[in-house]
């Protein structure tokens, strides 16, 4: 089995529990289910979430040996974290950046992403469908 890592940053543990007008009613468990359903045969997903930047960086390092791609919603670290970008730059397989909301329609500080300087694809404003699209893209790239 090839493993795709689905990484989620700060506050995304509250998905479906707060601010449904922005982030919807579905939870991270729903994200995991949608991603698993989007996998081609021979692929599996592993979903992680942390509110701590260093934990996310450790998962990226570990993923170098064990995964064929990363779908990452870095949360607010998107806009601040050179360290997560640096970690992703040490990771060779495809990286897809996902945002549930359409960040470019929101505050100006959400328009810049350090992670986009590394990501092979960026999806914003597709709700949870963006995660599934990211998984499908990685299956395609990892099979090519
Ligand atoms: O749209 C996205 O997915 C974001 O990455 C979400 C981040 C935000 O800082 C980015 O600019 C865009 C915030 C995640 C907060 O997640 C929550 C989910 C439910 C309830 C409260 C927060």
């Amino acid at each position: 089995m090839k493993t795709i890592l689905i990484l989620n940053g700060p506050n995304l543990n509250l998905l479906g529990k707060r601010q449904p007008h922005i982030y919807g009613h579905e939870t991270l468990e729903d994200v995991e289910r949608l991603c698993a359903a989007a996998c081609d045969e021979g692929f599996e997903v592993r979903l992680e979430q942390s509110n701590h930047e260093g934990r996310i960086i450790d998962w990226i390092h570990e993923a170098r040996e064990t995964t064929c791609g990363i779908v990452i919603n870095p949360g607010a670290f998107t806009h601040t974290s050179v360290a997560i970008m640096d970690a992703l730059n040490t990771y060779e397989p495809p990286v897809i950046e996902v945002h549930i909301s359409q960040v470019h329609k929101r505050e100006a500080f959400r328009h810049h992403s350090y992670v986009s300087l590394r990501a092979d694809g960026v999806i914003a404003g597709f709700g949870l469908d963006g995660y599934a699209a990211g998984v499908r893209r990685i299956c395609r790239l990892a099979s090519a």
Side-chain angles (χ1 to χ4, degrees):
M1 276 291 199
K2 292 181 184 172
T3 303
I4 300 170
L5 181 60
I6 316 294
L7 269 183
N8 292 277
N11 298 309
L12 285 159
N13 52 311
L14 297 178
L15 204 58
K17 298 169 187 161
R18 298 277 188 283
Q19 297 184 285
H21 55 293
I22 304 176
Y23 300 112
H25 289 278
E26 291 175 296
T27 65
L28 268 190
E29 287 71 39
D30 294 315
V31 172
E32 189 163 26
R33 186 178 45 75
L34 285 170
C35 288
C39 275
D40 286 347
E41 207 172 313
F43 290 82
E44 63 180 7
V45 296
R46 196 183 105 218
L47 184 141
E48 304 286 1
Q49 185 278 332
S50 179
N51 296 322
H52 304 277
E53 191 174 16
R55 188 70 192 97
I56 293 168
I57 292 165
D58 288 343
W59 277 321
I60 294 168
H61 291 174
E62 288 160 24
R64 290 167 59 207
E65 306 302 325
T66 55
T67 66
C68 67
I70 295 176
V71 175
I72 182 166
N73 182 347
F77 290 148
T78 306
H79 319 298
T80 62
S81 182
V82 175
I84 289 177
M85 177 191 70
D86 284 347
L88 288 169
N89 276 329
T90 72
Y91 180 83
E92 282 186 18
V95 174
I96 306 294
E97 176 182 351
V98 170
H99 299 287
I100 298 167
S101 65
Q102 210 297 55
V103 281
H104 299 287
K105 230 168 110 175
R106 299 182 66 191
E107 303 96 324
F109 68 84
R110 298 187 202 275
H111 299 177
H112 178 262
S113 165
Y114 285 102
V115 171
S116 292
L117 294 170
R118 160 64 183 92
D120 299 295
V122 181
I123 302 165
F126 280 54
L128 300 198
D129 292 343
Y131 287 90
V135 165
R136 281 195 293 273
R137 180 72 181 147
I138 287 175
C139 289
R140 173 76 61 93
L141 291 170
S143 303

